[in-house]
């Protein structure tokens, strides 16, 4: 089961008045994404504010998304937890609620203890117990720990571990992930600004925040690269990059939510301590989105 | 309410066979600590493996400790969560279960969004809602974010925020915390190797892992400094430092648990992905502890 | 004047007995590199141990290399200094001694003062005074400061600043450098493991240590990418990467010198406090080089 | 030869019009410092902009300072270089020019190669060759490498290595330096905000930028701590800290020069790419200095 293509790590809509999950808005958004060429949907990732959401809510979010995602598209659910038993339980609940794949971020709190062997034990236990296939997830900028390519290679031998999402921008590490793992192992990039370069190096797809906002452009970048149309792919990458930055490192989850609200999705506000994007950020996003609407109109 | 003296951030005992919390062992350990000069007990801190423990377990741990801690000693419970609503709920549950004070670590996952203003909003909301006083908790080496002294000074104005635990070794920051906050605000150091230096600079006490293993020596260091017996305090600090390192940065929570098991406490094993300390670490700990038993005998 | 192709940042040979520069060995090596498809030679870069070499030696090294480099190939000389006046003087001396281009690393000692404006003033002054064109040089892993793409874009307006060598692995930054600078501005990558990815993104060439040891393979990677033969380029990149790592982050300048000595070049030993590569490193290098000789034989 | 007391790492005056060293101003400043209780003078340290000064200038600076420093006070000269041979040559020149002690910063450019063994070889070679005693110098924030206490302990066995200047704020490291070295080995702190804490831990003195501007207050802090008058020492430390920050991490060497100019010393301007402190910084410094003049008047 190789994952190919582009998937958005979707935000979780919260009602600004009550701070509760707005499942209706979630379904509305998923319906809209399902009209595009996206390969699936990722819920409860970093951009889904997973760390701010409790276990019961998590289960309902998976179920709500599943209602609107046809079986020929993937529903991936983030289920990383700091303890192995917590990660096992979360994977089981997500699988039961309808996830096709679980995305399991590295535990990271006890950084000094997170050796390669600790990662191997953790992921092996999760993969043994999970009712659905497991995607590893490395996001060093957020966690402060690095799941090295050599460790990923060890884990790729487990039949229930099917790939890795790598969110770092270091292409040498992406290249190593591709080189050291089997051909049917999915290496997915986690940052849109390096999507084209990662695809050149053999990544099979991406889970990138920009794909929430401009799904068709991200899918097209994937397709152009696959077709060997490198000059066009690179030109499109350059168009995508500024907006891709704004909805990640630039303005964070608040920026992603603001951009989606501008584009007609319904995401409400982030959960505190996160705050809505400030007016200046929204104005920047409006301009960056405007450029894409022109592209859409002219093509 | 100023916190003065030394408290141990106690580990949570897990049954090695079942990975479940061993409440009986917890009570056994607390009983023993209560026979020393410790000012109280901290449960569900970093060394309590708080991040690996679920909400129901957390509540029971607070209640179990409360059973054995007399009212004239403090029970502090770690209740930090990534979301403000989660931190509010955890503080309420801990207060109801018997905690005297809650210790609230900085949220940190969305590092780029964790501005001083975000920290102020988060802690103000928690302090407004908490039924018991709040201790701020800054641990940059683990979280990657820094709660600056100027931000602590803003928060110190809230009547329900009574102090801060600072776990970094930078004494300039500790000195600033003391300088910028009122006299009745508690600045507690979180690392035993800098306990003496922090007390010199005006810290009112410490929450240090070494105090789990050698409580009397840590209390004595506090008392010597308070009495102006600086030469003796410094000599004792030097004795304490090697073991203090081993049970924190050296061998981590597994090292702390191993040292306590050697000393006759009952902590079982850490929760996976943490693993028990390796044999070489245990041997080092045995030697370091041995030195203290001689001290105890000869004094 | 756009720089296209691959250049090696050559090590400076020192006589192991006297610790003096061995100019004869330098000439010998340059002669050999000039028989390959390399676009030129870079002396006194990081791998040239520039920081360990005094001003008089530097001038003689440039002159010695010039003797053996025909005018249709480039001689680039590293002339970065911490002071602006030092960098100006070094550029003038290198130009006089025969360099075609100077490569000017960012000053970095006073990190807090190295603002974008400080970099602009420094480089503008150097570019005004230098008798030959200037290449900017950013190497954050070694210097701890980052010359941002926006700053490079400002500097690209100076007629005597013709390009940048970027040694970081973050492809988003490389992509920005290409996007934000004019088409005739040279973006050169400084690390062989990301050479192919950088070329995909529009870099015009590379100054990479691996090109000292396996010049023809690096040149061929450049040509394959330019010809749109992406699958072959990627396969060659994968072959190159392990050795490329060994002669940079793996074993450092001592590793590069050892690899070159194995390959029949004459580099002597590094200058203390650097030490020759240990035996285990040499054995690894021997194996990695062996793989390439087979490739060479079979092609 | 144990160094006890406080010494200022003095800035090098440059003529703003010509960017040349102003030796007359240097003598003027030294004369003034010699009227205070400072234990000596440090030239060509970090604050002396040593990295921006060439070899001939360095020699003349040492000689000029020596002219005005009586033999019963110390002249310490910074002579760190990246190469061992360069550091040896610089120590010899400084000794010949009149330095009593040389202060040798860690080489740091090839960070990955700067192992404990490399440091030991480097410093042993310098100490063997130097005509005057050697002070080690660790400044991790600027260099990115750390000279560990265990390495310093090895080096302390050399009869010509008499101490270490440690510029980090981590008091655990300062405590280790004191614990692991002989009683006659000098541990000098390099940052005024941690001067009192370091003295509590057994440091024998400090080389701190604040001592350029407010020498008497720094000397008094040293004396109060030595006399066991801890409450007064701590109060004075708090007074000193804000200004001490401004002339180091706050506004850098430009801030130190501006503060000295305000106080009637003659330092000219920093050497480019450093720039004079901006007006707002100067205003802050003026206020901070004003507070001290009141203290001086009232005492």
């Amino acid at each position: 089961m190789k994952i190919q293509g582009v998937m958005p790590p979707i935000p979780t809509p919260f009602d600004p008045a009550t701070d509760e999950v707005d499942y209706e808005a979630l379904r509305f958004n998923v319906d809209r994404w399902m009209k595009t060429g996206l390969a699936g949907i990722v819920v409860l990732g970093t951009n889904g504010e997973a760390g701010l959401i409790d276990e019961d809510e998590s289960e309902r979010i998976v179920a709500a998304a599943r209602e609107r995602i046809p079986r020929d598209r993937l529903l991936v659910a983030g289920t990383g937890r700091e303890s192995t038993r917590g990660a096992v339980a979360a994977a089981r609940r997500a699988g039961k609620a309808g996830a096709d794949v679980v995305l399991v971020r590295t535990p990271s709190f006890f950084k000094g203890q997170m050796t390669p062997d600790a990662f191997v034990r953790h992921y092996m236990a999760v993969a043994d117990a999970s009712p659905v296939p497991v995607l590893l997830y490395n996001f060093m900028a957020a966690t402060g720990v690095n799941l090295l390519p050599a460790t990923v290679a060890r884990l790729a031998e487990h039949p229930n571990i099917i790939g890795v999402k790598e969110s770092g921008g270091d292409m040498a590490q992406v290249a190593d992930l591709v080189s050291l793992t089997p051909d049917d192992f999915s290496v997915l990039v986690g940052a849109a600004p390096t999507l084209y370069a990662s695809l050149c190096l053999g990544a099979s797809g991406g889970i990138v925040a920009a794909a929430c906002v401009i799904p068709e452009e991200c899918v097209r970048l994937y397709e152009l690269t696959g077709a060997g149309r490198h000059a066009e792919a690179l030109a499109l990458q350059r168009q995508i990059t500024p907006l891709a930055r704004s909805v990640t490192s630039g303005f964070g989850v608040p920026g992603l939510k603001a951009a989606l609200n501008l584009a007609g999705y319904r995401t409400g506000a982030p959960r505190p301590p996160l705050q809505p994007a400030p007016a200046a950020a929204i104005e920047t996003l409006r301009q960056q989105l405007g450029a894409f609407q022109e592209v859409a109109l002219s093509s």
Side-chain angles (χ1 to χ4, degrees), chain A:
Chain A
M1 173 181 181
K2 182 141 182 182
I3 299 178
Q4 291 175 307
V6 175
M7 290 188 287
I10 69 170
T12 305
F14 298 109
D15 183 311
T18 64
D19 202 10
E20 298 292 338
V21 178
D22 183 344
Y23 299 96
E24 191 49 42
L26 178 68
R27 289 186 201 97
F28 171 86
N29 294 340
V30 172
D31 283 344
R32 187 161 159 190
W33 282 310
M34 285 302 98
K35 291 175 188 151
T36 70
L38 294 167
I41 288 281
V42 178
V43 296
L44 298 169
T46 299
N47 287 299
E49 298 174 64
L52 312 186
I53 291 175
D54 69 29
E55 298 288 355
D56 290 341
E57 291 171 328
S58 296
E59 197 168 332
R60 289 189 61 193
I61 288 166
V62 174
R66 182 75 275 172
E67 289 175 31
R68 305 306 174 94
I69 300 175
R71 280 288 157 189
D72 63 345
R73 306 245 203 145
L74 283 177
L75 171 56
V76 179
T79 60
R81 298 289 185 277
E82 283 294 322
S83 75
T84 302
R85 60 187 257 145
V88 163
R92 285 181 173 148
R93 292 175 75 156
K96 202 169 169 184
D100 298 308
V101 171
V102 289
L103 175 66
V104 184
R105 201 178 55 230
T106 51
S108 64
F109 187 77
F110 295 101
K111 299 191 196 320
Q113 305 288 320
M114 291 302 101
T115 59
D117 283 350
F119 284 136
V120 168
R121 276 192 307 265
H122 179 74
Y123 279 116
M124 289 293 191
V126 174
D128 284 348
S130 173
V132 295
V134 170
L135 269 176
L136 313 173
Y137 181 11
N138 190 39
F139 189 10
M140 194 183 177
T143 63
V145 300
N146 194 8
L147 186 67
L148 294 168
T151 307
V152 173
R154 290 166 65 187
L155 290 166
E157 294 175 12
H158 193 293
N160 207 26
I161 298 178
I162 61 166
V164 63
K165 176 184 178 190
E166 169 59 57
S167 288
D170 181 353
M171 285 305 102
Q173 183 147 335
V174 170
D176 281 354
L177 288 170
V178 174
S179 293
L180 298 176
T181 56
D183 285 348
D184 63 351
F185 189 81
S186 305
V187 175
L188 305 172
V189 61
T194 51
L195 179 54
Y196 167 65
S198 300
L199 294 170
C200 287
L201 292 169
S204 67
I207 297 176
V208 297
C212 299
V213 190
I214 45 169
E216 296 294 18
E217 283 79 2
C218 293
V219 170
R220 183 162 171 76
L221 173 53
Y222 171 79
E223 292 172 344
L224 286 169
T225 313
R229 295 162 65 179
H230 283 270
E232 290 165 86
L234 179 53
L236 182 53
Q237 173 72 70
R238 288 188 193 174
Q239 280 190 302
I240 289 173
T241 295
L243 177 60
R245 288 245 172 76
S246 290
V247 297
T248 53
S249 56
F251 306 126
V253 170
L256 175 59
K257 288 195 151 177
L260 284 168
N261 290 346
L262 286 170
Y265 293 83
R266 293 166 48 192
T267 69
R271 195 164 247 184
L274 296 182
Q275 294 290 309
I282 295 174
E283 185 49 36
T284 299
L285 290 163
R286 191 190 307 275
Q287 290 174 19
Q288 291 175 330
L289 276 169
F292 277 98
Q293 290 169 331
E294 289 165 19
V295 168
L297 289 173
S298 67
S299 67

